[in-house]
């Protein structure tokens, strides 16, 4: 049986919950990773620079995460003797536009953590996904298999773009995080055909459908209400508009009831007259 898709409402609720918890989730999992895999070596090596920093990035959109490491070397004099001292700076960048659930989050952190162990413990800097990285990846994957962690050499995540335009001829999709494509100005780069927005789908207006009651009320009364409430904020004025519209609807409904009642009385009188 194919997996059931979540409804948009449930998906939004789940995402909001994740957004509220993601920073603490990330920090807790990073600490658990370090203690389980390296017995705290990464924390110890980066302690002088404040530990491994987790940086949520809005501009990182081509990959889910990125590990950054720098070793600062200096000579320290003690008891008349010079010795080498190393200060490690490390951070993990996390893409806000790609990481949208807990499963992705812990897998991305696990992957980038393997890079840091490769840099700082295995001393490998020129082969980021080589033999040593794969050994760390296996170790992490085994230790956290119960949490569906599977570290590979790539982040195989489909990016959930907010906007998508599709070519009407060749079907090529243009995906963006912002509404940066205007179909009236832009064309398909491959075949020069028109583009249509397919996500979110554009609602087409019914040319035969006029404005609704609220829109008519707004047009007829907004300026009056604004003059009568000079100095108030736009939000307050809109609340007054809504309140007056509601009161108007109630009055109209009562008027209809009265008119219906009068028509009923008239019909009753007519019926009596006919019987006489």
């Amino acid at each position: 049986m194919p997996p059931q898709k979540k409804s948009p409402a449930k998906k939004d609720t789940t995402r909001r919950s994740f957004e509220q918890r993601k920073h603490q989730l990330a920090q807790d999992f990073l600490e658990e990773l370090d203690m389980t895999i390296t017995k705290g070596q990464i924390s110890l090596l980066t302690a002088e620079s404040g530990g491994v920093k987790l940086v949520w990035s809005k501009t990182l959109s081509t990959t889910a995460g990125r590990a950054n490491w720098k070793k600062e070397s200096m000579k320290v004099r003690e008891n008349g003797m010079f010795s080498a001292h190393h200060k490690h700076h490390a951070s993990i960048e996390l893409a806000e536009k790609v990481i949208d659930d807990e499963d992705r989050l812990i897998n991305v952190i696990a992957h980038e953590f393997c890079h840091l162990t490769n840099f700082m413990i295995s001393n490998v800097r020129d082969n980021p996904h080589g033999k040593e990285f794969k050994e760390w990846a296996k170790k992490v994957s085994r230790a956290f298999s119960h949490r569906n962690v599977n570290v590979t050499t790539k982040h195989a995540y489909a990016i959930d773009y907010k906007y998508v335009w599709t070519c009407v001829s060749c079907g090529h999709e243009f995906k963006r995080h912002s509404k940066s494509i205007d179909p009236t100005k832009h064309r398909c780069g491959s075949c020069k055909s028109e583009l249509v927005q397919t996500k979110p789908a554009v609602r087409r207006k019914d040319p035969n459908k006029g404005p609704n009651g609220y829109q008519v009320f707004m047009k007829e009364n907004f300026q009056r209400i604004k003059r009568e409430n000079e100095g108030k904020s736009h939000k307050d004025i809109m609340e007054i508009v809504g309140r007056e519209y509601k009161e108007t609807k109630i009055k109209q409904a009562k008027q209809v009831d009265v008119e219906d009642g009068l028509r009923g009385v008239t019909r009753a009188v007519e019926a009596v007259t006919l019987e006489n």
Side-chain angles (χ1 to χ4, degrees), residues 153-200:
T153 56
K154 291 183 179 180
H155 299 299
Y157 295 133
I159 300 175
D160 185 18
Y161 289 93
K162 188 175 181 179
Y163 297 96
V164 178
W165 290 263
T166 305
C167 175
V168 297
S169 295
C170 67
H172 182 77
E173 290 186 334
F174 298 84
K175 302 176 181 180
R176 300 290 186 272
H177 291 294
S178 61
K179 203 169 184 179
S180 57
I181 291 179
D182 183 351
T184 63
K185 298 178 181 178
H186 301 118
R187 291 290 183 269
C188 175
S190 300
C191 66
K192 309 303 179 185
S193 296
E194 292 184 6
L195 302 176
V196 293
Q197 184 176 321
T198 51
K199 180 185 177 183

Side-chain angles (χ1 to χ4, degrees), residues 48 69-76 83-89 123 125:
E48 194 175 346
W69 169 80
K70 181 179 73 172
K71 184 170 73 172
E72 186 180 353
S73 299
M74 60 195 80
K75 289 184 178 181
V76 179
S83 61
H85 178 72
H86 304 293
K87 185 177 180 180
H88 295 268
H89 302 264
N123 294 312
R125 290 90 192 244

Side-chain angles (χ1 to χ4, degrees), residues 2-273:
Q4 293 184 345
K5 292 184 178 180
K6 290 183 179 179
S7 68
K10 286 185 178 179
K11 188 175 180 181
D12 288 344
T13 302
T14 302
R15 182 168 291 187
R16 281 197 297 270
S17 174
F18 171 72
E19 288 295 322
Q20 293 169 356
R21 300 181 299 117
K22 67 181 184 182
H23 294 278
Q24 193 61 50
L25 280 171
Q27 190 62 49
D28 291 346
F29 184 62
L30 177 61
E31 292 173 4
E32 186 180 358
L33 262 175
D34 190 29
M35 291 305 299
T36 304
I37 304 302
T38 73
K39 306 301 181 187
Q41 287 186 70
I42 297 297
S43 295
L44 185 63
L45 288 169
T46 58
E48 194 175 346
S49 63
V52 178
K53 296 175 178 61
L54 293 173
V55 181
W56 287 89
S57 172
K58 292 182 178 180
T59 57
L60 190 64
S61 59
T62 57
T63 184
R66 183 162 56 203
N68 302 297
W69 169 80
K70 181 179 73 172
K71 184 170 73 172
E72 186 180 353
S73 299
M74 60 195 80
K75 289 184 178 181
V76 179
R77 185 173 182 175
E78 291 183 8
N79 300 323
M81 300 290 291
F82 286 97
S83 61
H85 178 72
H86 304 293
K87 185 177 180 180
H88 295 268
H89 302 264
S91 66
I92 294 175
E93 290 182 76
L94 301 168
E96 287 196 359
K97 294 175 180 177
V98 181
I99 302 172
D100 54 8
D101 61 36
E102 184 174 346
D103 184 69
R104 285 190 177 188
L105 174 61
I106 63 175
N107 272 278
V108 171
I109 292 177
H111 180 104
E112 303 309 330
F113 179 81
C114 288
H115 279 305
L116 294 182
T117 56
N118 207 28
F119 296 150
M120 299 165 65
I121 298 176
S122 299
N123 294 312
V124 176
R125 290 90 192 244
D126 57 352
N127 192 9
H129 292 114
K131 181 183 70 173
E132 292 81 2
F133 174 87
K134 291 174 182 176
E135 288 175 356
W136 286 112
K138 286 180 183 178
K139 190 173 183 179
V140 170
S141 297
R142 281 196 301 266
F144 292 93
S145 61
H146 62 288
R147 297 186 66 176
N148 297 320
V149 171
N150 181 29
V151 180
T152 62
T153 56
K154 291 183 179 180
H155 299 299
Y157 295 133
I159 300 175
D160 185 18
Y161 289 93
K162 188 175 181 179
Y163 297 96
V164 178
W165 290 263
T166 305
C167 175
V168 297
S169 295
C170 67
H172 182 77
E173 290 186 334
F174 298 84
K175 302 176 181 180
R176 300 290 186 272
H177 291 294
S178 61
K179 203 169 184 179
S180 57
I181 291 179
D182 183 351
T184 63
K185 298 178 181 178
H186 301 118
R187 291 290 183 269
C188 175
S190 300
C191 66
K192 309 303 179 185
S193 296
E194 292 184 6
L195 302 176
V196 293
Q197 184 176 321
T198 51
K199 180 185 177 183
V202 178
R203 292 183 179 179
R204 298 186 180 277
K205 293 183 178 180
D206 185 351
N208 300 317
K209 188 176 180 181
N212 59 35
Y214 180 75
Q215 292 169 333
V216 172
F217 182 84
M218 271 281 290
K219 185 176 180 180
E220 294 176 350
N221 296 278
F222 181 76
Q223 292 301 327
R224 171 186 61 79
I225 294 172
K226 189 176 180 181
R227 285 194 303 271
E228 292 174 356
N229 296 275
E230 188 176 354
K232 290 192 176 182
S233 67
H234 181 73
K235 180 182 177 182
D236 291 338
I237 291 173
M238 292 305 294
E239 287 179 355
I240 295 170
V241 170
R243 188 164 59 247
E244 286 199 14
Y245 175 68
K246 186 176 180 180
E247 292 170 355
T248 301
K249 291 283 287 183
I250 292 171
K251 288 179 182 177
Q252 289 174 348
K254 287 181 178 179
Q255 183 64 32
V256 169
D257 290 341
V258 170
E259 290 175 357
D260 286 346
L262 289 173
R263 281 195 292 270
V265 170
T266 302
R267 285 194 296 271
V269 171
E270 289 174 349
V272 171
T273 303

